[in-house]
Amino acid sequence: MRQYLKIKAKYPETILLFRIGDFFETFENDAKITSKVLGITLTKRGDGAAAEVPLAGFPHHALDTYLPKLLKAGYRVAVCEQLEDPKLAKGIVKRDVIEVVTPGIAFSDKVLDQKQNNYLACVALPSPLATSEDLIGFSFVDVSTGEFATSEFPLKMLREQVALISPAEILVQKRDYQTVMELLKGQFNRTYTKAEDWTFNFDFGYEILVNHFQTQSLKGFGCEEYKLGVVAAGAVLNYLQETQKANLPHLKKITPYDVSEYMLLPPSTQRNLEILSPLMESGRFGTLFSVLDQTQTPMGGRLLKKWVLQPLKNVDPIRSRLDAVRELVEKTPVRKKLREILLNIGDLERLIAKIATGRANPREMIGLKVILSYIPHLKFHLEACTSRELSSLRDNLEPLQQLVQEISDAIVEDPPLNLADGGVIRRGYNQELDELRDIAFSGKEWIAHLQQKERSRTGIPSLKVGFNNVFGYYIEVTHTHKNKIPPDYLRKQTLVNAERYITPELKEYEEKILHAEEKILILESDLFHELRKRAAERAAVIQRNAQIIATLDCFSSLSEVAVEYDYSCPEVDESTRIDIRAGRHPVIERLLPPGERYIPNDCVVDTSENQILIITGPNMSGKSSYLRQVGLIVLMAQMGSFVPAESAKIGLVDRIYTRVGAMDSIATGESTFLVEMNEAAQIVNTATPRSLILLDEVGRGTSTFDGISIAWALTEYLHQRTGARTLFATHYHELNELAELFPRIKNLKVEVREYGDKVVFLHKVTPGFADHSYGIQVAQMAGLPEEITERAKKILMNLEGSELTFHDAREEKKAKGRIAPSEVQLTLFEMRDDTLREEIRKLDLEKITPLEAFQKLAELKKKVEKS
């Protein structure tokens, strides 16, 4: 227990798994947590109640089963192993922590999602008083793949970047812990780890990085100028070295992550466009990623997810990707053969990380051989490709055939999972190993041969060679033949009728066979580790191959989807015009019942004539789908994918904003309306003329007149100040009047047909505006009782007659003179005086002075009071 407490003191914020014999044990509070999380029995050990210590443990071979459960519960786990053989130890067995496993640092397949990176991120602030415009350092690493990157960007972008990277664990300087927690609160349910302040230092970070990469500087990696980025990266690497005991040979490089290269997708946009997860359910089904993901390899799936979340902002790389997809679309035999090969390729990225860190088992080494053996086939079938991207991928693939041969020569075709089970190394690979196996597994033949040889040599026909557990090997000769005993026979045991002897040859064989199995395991282990080390020396090349295969897999997936779903190649340019013909929603059309067709629609939006599109129409008519499909088509085009449309011309978009639906945030105490206004504020404060804004109702979370006023003012602001391309779906039909006031605002409506008391939605978007929302008809479709819908119709008729009350007794109140002036709210949108409207319309707001405006307002007020 003294040894345990001493080690535990070094790792106070972890669950310490303490190896004792064949078990990992936990004690005291760790035991209580472990028992609860793992569902194992909590016991006690000690002398008397006062000295009893809570205890919970599990067999050491079950570590891979129980460790993932502790990680998923958010705990950091220190694995303390026995560092020497207990049989050979003098006194207490030496023990120490061999690694610390955290939610952001994991290698186990049972912890990791095949198509999700597992990032550890670090945030480095310049000071505790950093403002939203100050640059911060942000670094992230996936130890399971070897990806390591660093960046700098303004503090105000932190939430968006954390949402994009989605790290499992975030490392924060102790000094800034509360600040960062406050910035990220309410949205990110993940592990936050405090790091010592002194590790957040540029000189320390720079030194630890160059020492690890064994370089003179960081210039070769392109991140020399990222001062705060180096601070964050150094803190990450220091944390990894402490937890992994410097066992990080697969981290071969650090790359600069330039946020300016990618389209910005705020968390609300990711959620509302259902890019990775659906709004109403968990899982991946019903998302853009689920539609586009036909990747054949785990690393291809992870890369495609990055492409979906990080569309490009530069025309050249977008066109290069589209060219590669187009070529595979057109060359069907090549595409199909590549996909057939890719289906046989495992997770090379995570496999080489395991090999480099000494975690790979014999079957995983065979897996490496199999994957590498497919590379020549990939290169062969890519010979037919001429696009820049595919040609570059082909030329940079390295088959590493020598390593393939080395593994093939050394390891049996179907080895056991565990090295300790033996039988891993092929016969003929190592002469000493073969001899030991002959001794261990051919003992009967050797003894029979020795017995026959000794009978011939001594002339004793009854001589026999035997073995027992007490005396070991012996030669037994009856007393009848005592006079024939050779001089090299040494008496070992006397029996009633015979004598037992040992010879130098038999003694030597006994020594060999008694230790052969142990030596076999040791020698096999040494040979396997040497082979694994030689593979690890090629880690950089293997990692490059993995990235190339992942990229090729993404192209194959996007081309397969394009062919299967009838997508077209978009044109992407530097203009600000988006022109989509017969566009479709990529997800909804896949969810439709067989035989039902998604109704396509056009969309033209730009910054010169059609900047803001006001879209009105009934509930359930497809306004929201129309908005989302435009956003998804733009996103798909800029990630390098074909799109669901007859044609699409996409002027580059720097960010996509969405303001959709009604949702509160209980965790942060924000009401539905406050969440709505927060999102609207983010849009108007950060959007640029290159942005695409998708508004699906604004102002619905408050009173009608407040909501209309906010929506009207917001639309004006977007037109006059922001200049961003905007689609605005609304039930505030009053907003249609904006098209008469502002040159770049246009009205669109979703067509509907009425048949008596029923409505038929045509889902077709055309110029014009709707004047009904048909909410009551939709309520009927939902099954609301007829009594309610009939009553609602009467109330609606009353309201549409400008009687702003929900009670039929209003006329009675007016007749008796008991209605107060304050009960009537006259608004600009209710004015029916065409003369007044014309006067207001003629006002030149750009030239009028404040005094003239006040005088004009007073004049209008008098006219209203007289009317």
Side-chain angles (χ1 to χ4, degrees):
M1 286 305 296
R2 281 198 298 270
Q3 185 186 45
Y4 166 81
L5 292 170
K6 184 178 180 181
I7 296 172
K8 175 65 179 176
K10 297 179 183 177
Y11 302 92
E13 296 183 0
T14 67
I15 303 294
L16 179 63
L17 300 182
F18 193 72
R19 177 76 179 271
I20 301 179
D22 291 333
F23 279 76
F24 277 113
E25 300 286 5
T26 58
F27 301 95
E28 298 178 332
N29 192 52
D30 284 2
K32 296 175 183 177
I33 294 171
T34 301
S35 171
K36 184 177 180 180
V37 173
L38 302 184
I40 59 178
T41 304
L42 180 68
T43 61
K44 292 183 178 180
R45 293 285 174 88
D47 299 324
E52 285 185 341
V53 176
L55 173 73
F58 53 83
H60 75 95
H61 58 75
L63 181 65
D64 285 344
T65 300
Y66 288 117
L67 181 58
K69 295 180 180 179
L70 290 168
L71 294 178
K72 288 176 181 177
Y75 293 101
R76 302 167 71 241
V77 181
V79 181
C80 180
E81 268 286 5
Q82 297 174 162
L83 302 183
E84 58 183 343
D85 188 338
K87 296 175 186 176
L88 306 176
K90 295 180 180 179
I92 298 294
V93 175
K94 291 179 181 178
R95 295 179 174 88
D96 203 354
V97 171
I98 59 169
E99 68 172 330
V100 177
V101 188
T102 75
I105 309 173
F107 290 88
S108 171
D109 294 335
K110 295 182 179 179
V111 176
L112 302 170
D113 183 336
Q114 273 199 333
K115 294 197 173 183
Q116 174 75 40
N117 280 101
N118 192 65
Y119 287 121
L120 164 70
C122 178
V123 179
L125 303 186
S127 77
L129 302 176
T131 67
S132 63
E133 298 298 329
D134 287 338
L135 288 179
I136 65 168
F138 185 72
S139 182
F140 53 93
V141 62
D142 183 346
V143 293
S144 72
T145 66
E147 180 184 359
F148 189 13
T150 192
S151 180
E152 287 184 354
F153 47 76
L155 179 59
K156 64 184 179 183
M157 295 178 65
L158 178 61
R159 288 177 66 85
E160 285 77 9
Q161 293 305 319
V162 169
L164 284 175
I165 300 301
S166 191
E169 181 179 1
I170 299 178
L171 194 64
V172 185
Q173 185 176 357
K174 277 186 177 180
R175 181 197 71 185
D176 301 323
Y177 184 75
Q178 290 302 324
T179 303
V180 173
M181 288 287 286
E182 188 68 24
L183 287 167
L184 300 178
K185 72 174 182 179
Q187 188 172 347
F188 308 106
N189 181 22
R190 60 191 84 252
T191 300
Y192 293 87
T193 301
K194 297 177 185 177
E196 296 296 334
D197 290 338
W198 62 268
T199 62
F200 284 74
N201 175 275
F202 176 78
D203 291 337
F204 172 79
Y206 197 91
E207 183 178 358
I208 199 171
L209 288 168
V210 295
N211 286 343
H212 173 80
F213 295 119
Q214 297 182 345
T215 57
Q216 293 296 315
S217 72
L218 299 177
K219 291 179 180 178
F221 301 114
C223 53
E224 179 90 6
E225 301 305 316
Y226 283 175
K227 300 300 182 185
L228 287 166
V230 167
V231 171
V236 163
L237 187 56
N238 178 68
Y239 181 65
L240 288 176
Q241 289 181 347
E242 286 183 348
T243 57
Q244 301 303 297
K245 304 298 180 182
N247 187 22
L248 302 163
H250 63 304
L251 297 186
K252 297 293 185 183
K253 63 179 180 178
I254 183 169
T255 56
Y257 170 64
D258 187 353
V259 297
S260 67
E261 294 180 1
Y262 306 107
M263 178 196 292
L264 181 64
L265 298 174
S268 58
T269 298
Q270 294 181 45
R271 180 181 68 247
N272 294 327
L273 293 185
E274 298 177 288
I275 295 173
L276 294 184
S277 57
L279 284 171
M280 304 302 292
E281 302 171 13
S282 60
R284 295 174 179 151
F285 185 71
T287 66
L288 178 64
F289 179 68
S290 70
V291 170
L292 298 181
D293 181 26
Q294 291 199 25
T295 53
Q296 306 284 59
T297 69
M299 56 228 181
R302 291 193 295 271
L303 182 60
L304 184 65
K305 185 172 287 186
K306 289 181 188 175
W307 284 14
V308 169
L309 286 175
Q310 298 174 337
L312 302 174
K313 279 169 48 178
N314 296 316
V315 169
D316 285 345
I318 293 171
R319 288 176 178 169
S320 290
R321 285 186 185 178
L322 289 172
D323 287 344
V325 175
R326 182 192 293 108
E327 185 165 24
L328 291 180
V329 166
E330 294 170 351
K331 295 177 177 175
T332 300
V334 174
R335 182 181 75 253
K336 292 192 175 297
K337 195 63 187 177
L338 290 174
R339 290 181 61 76
E340 183 183 313
I341 296 171
L342 289 168
L343 188 60
N344 296 293
I345 292 179
D347 198 339
L348 187 56
E349 266 187 329
R350 285 181 172 163
L351 184 53
I352 188 56
K354 282 186 175 182
I355 290 170
T357 56
R359 290 175 168 83
N361 60 46
R363 288 185 189 172
E364 287 169 330
M365 287 297 293
I366 290 295
L368 175 64
K369 180 193 81 171
V370 169
I371 293 171
L372 294 178
S373 67
Y374 279 111
I375 290 179
H377 301 286
L378 288 174
K379 288 178 73 74
F380 173 77
H381 290 289
L382 285 169
E383 287 295 335
C385 298
T386 57
S387 65
R388 184 171 64 185
E389 283 280 354
L390 294 178
S391 299
S392 175
L393 295 179
R394 176 194 64 227
D395 295 343
N396 286 296
L397 273 172
E398 293 190 44
L400 294 174
Q401 290 173 315
Q402 183 181 345
L403 179 58
V404 171
Q405 191 61 50
E406 288 177 15
I407 297 173
S408 186
D409 290 343
I411 301 180
V412 298
E413 201 61 40
D414 187 20
L417 183 64
N418 297 312
L419 185 60
D421 293 337
V424 171
I425 303 298
R426 282 184 186 273
R427 177 169 287 276
Y429 182 72
N430 181 274
Q431 184 178 347
E432 183 184 355
L433 181 62
D434 290 345
E435 290 174 358
L436 287 169
R437 282 173 172 165
D438 288 340
I439 293 170
F441 305 120
S442 306
K444 289 182 180 179
E445 291 84 353
W446 191 89
I447 288 171
H449 173 73
L450 177 67
Q451 184 173 281
Q452 185 60 42
K453 186 180 76 169
E454 289 302 307
R455 283 178 179 180
S456 300
R457 180 167 79 96
T458 61
I460 304 173
S462 60
L463 179 149
K464 65 178 182 180
V465 180
F467 173 83
N468 69 35
N469 290 328
V470 177
F471 292 100
Y473 286 93
Y474 57 83
I475 298 173
E476 186 174 298
V477 180
T478 60
H479 291 317
T480 307
H481 300 286
K482 285 176 65 174
N483 60 335
K484 297 179 181 178
I485 299 298
D488 60 336
Y489 275 36
L490 303 173
R491 185 180 288 109
K492 191 171 187 179
Q493 184 184 10
T494 301
L495 303 178
V496 176
N497 298 315
E499 293 281 352
R500 288 178 175 174
Y501 301 90
I502 191 76
T503 67
E505 183 182 8
L506 187 57
K507 183 69 176 174
E508 182 183 349
Y509 178 76
E510 180 181 65
E511 288 292 327
K512 280 186 176 182
I513 202 165
L514 288 177
H515 300 290
E517 291 190 17
E518 182 180 342
K519 288 180 178 178
I520 286 170
L521 287 176
I522 293 172
L523 185 53
E524 272 206 316
S525 178
D526 289 344
L527 292 171
F528 177 77
H529 291 155
E530 178 59 33
L531 179 66
R532 192 166 62 185
K533 181 182 177 183
R534 292 203 299 275
E537 289 170 355
R538 279 100 152 181
V541 176
I542 294 172
Q543 285 174 335
R544 186 164 61 249
N545 280 341
Q547 291 161 6
I548 291 170
I549 292 170
T551 306
L552 182 60
D553 198 11
C554 287
F555 288 138
S556 83
S557 178
L558 293 177
S559 60
E560 186 73 10
V561 167
V563 172
E564 185 176 346
Y565 301 153
D566 191 27
Y567 290 175
S568 64
C569 184
E571 296 178 30
V572 181
D573 58 31
E574 299 277 3
S575 74
T576 57
R577 181 179 176 84
I578 296 172
D579 188 344
I580 299 168
R581 302 296 169 175
R584 315 184 305 272
H585 193 296
V587 180
I588 295 177
E589 72 169 351
R590 304 267 57 84
L591 302 178
L592 291 175
E596 191 169 331
R597 187 175 69 92
Y598 187 87
I599 306 298
N601 278 295
D602 300 342
C603 179
V604 178
V605 60
D606 53 42
T607 56
S608 57
E609 297 178 359
N610 306 283
Q611 181 207 330
I612 300 176
L613 306 180
I614 305 291
I615 307 156
T616 51
N619 290 294
M620 295 288 293
S621 62
K623 299 190 304 297
S624 297
S625 300
Y626 179 72
L627 259 65
R628 287 178 168 92
Q629 82 184 36
V630 172
L632 290 173
I633 287 172
V634 169
L635 186 157
M636 290 170 66
Q638 290 192 211
M639 68 173 275
S641 169
F642 279 29
V643 298
E646 283 185 5
S647 67
K649 296 180 180 179
I650 308 297
L652 280 177
V653 169
D654 64 355
R655 54 192 75 188
I656 299 176
Y657 292 104
T658 61
R659 157 79 289 279
V660 175
M663 182 184 299
D664 59 17
S665 178
I666 297 173
T668 56
E670 296 177 349
S671 68
T672 300
F673 183 63
L674 183 55
V675 169
E676 186 180 350
M677 291 300 100
N678 282 340
E679 291 180 359
Q682 181 194 27
I683 292 170
V684 297
N685 288 327
T686 58
T688 74
R690 278 221 172 265
S691 300
L692 175 64
I693 300 173
L694 307 175
L695 303 175
D696 190 355
E697 302 295 349
V698 170
R700 301 290 286 185
T702 186
S703 69
T704 302
F705 295 137
D706 282 352
I708 293 174
S709 303
I710 291 170
W712 184 291
L714 175 64
T715 309
E716 283 186 355
Y717 188 92
L718 291 173
H719 184 278
Q720 300 295 88
R721 298 287 188 88
T722 306
R725 292 160 285 185
T726 304
L727 278 68
F728 189 172
T730 181
H731 285 291
Y732 292 145
H733 302 130
E734 294 84 353
L735 298 186
N736 290 131
E737 295 182 23
L738 285 162
E740 299 176 23
L741 301 175
F742 297 96
R744 298 191 305 278
I745 298 180
K746 299 293 185 290
N747 289 328
L748 297 178
K749 65 177 179 178
V750 186
E751 294 287 354
V752 65
R753 292 290 181 269
E754 294 185 65
Y755 294 94
D757 205 27
K758 305 291 183 182
V759 291
V760 176
F761 303 122
L762 302 183
H763 305 296
K764 199 67 182 174
V765 178
T766 61
F769 58 88
D771 54 6
H772 286 86
S773 292
Y774 298 97
I776 296 173
Q777 285 82 351
V778 174
Q780 287 176 322
M781 293 166 58
L784 209 61
E786 186 177 353
E787 180 182 349
I788 295 175
T789 57
E790 288 301 317
R791 175 61 179 149
K793 289 176 184 177
K794 292 179 181 179
I795 294 172
L796 179 62
M797 290 175 64
N798 191 38
L799 290 172
E800 288 181 337
S802 297
E803 301 297 338
L804 300 178
T805 175
F806 297 125
H807 196 279
D808 293 332
R810 181 176 176 84
E811 288 301 322
E812 182 181 345
K813 285 178 70 178
K814 284 177 68 177
K816 294 180 179 179
R818 285 184 290 140
I819 184 165
S822 61
E823 289 183 57
V824 179
Q825 183 178 1
L826 184 64
T827 74
L828 176 64
F829 312 108
E830 288 184 277
M831 291 176 63
R832 296 291 180 263
D833 190 314
D834 291 337
T835 304
L836 285 175
R837 286 175 177 273
E838 189 60 30
E839 282 192 57
I840 294 171
R841 197 171 285 124
K842 289 180 178 178
L843 289 176
D844 189 344
L845 299 181
E846 298 293 333
K847 296 180 179 179
I848 196 169
T849 67
L851 181 58
E852 289 171 339
F854 180 77
Q855 291 170 343
K856 191 65 180 177
L857 183 60
E859 180 186 328
L860 291 172
K861 185 173 183 295
K862 288 179 182 179
K863 290 182 179 181
V864 170
E865 289 172 346
K866 289 178 181 178
S867 61

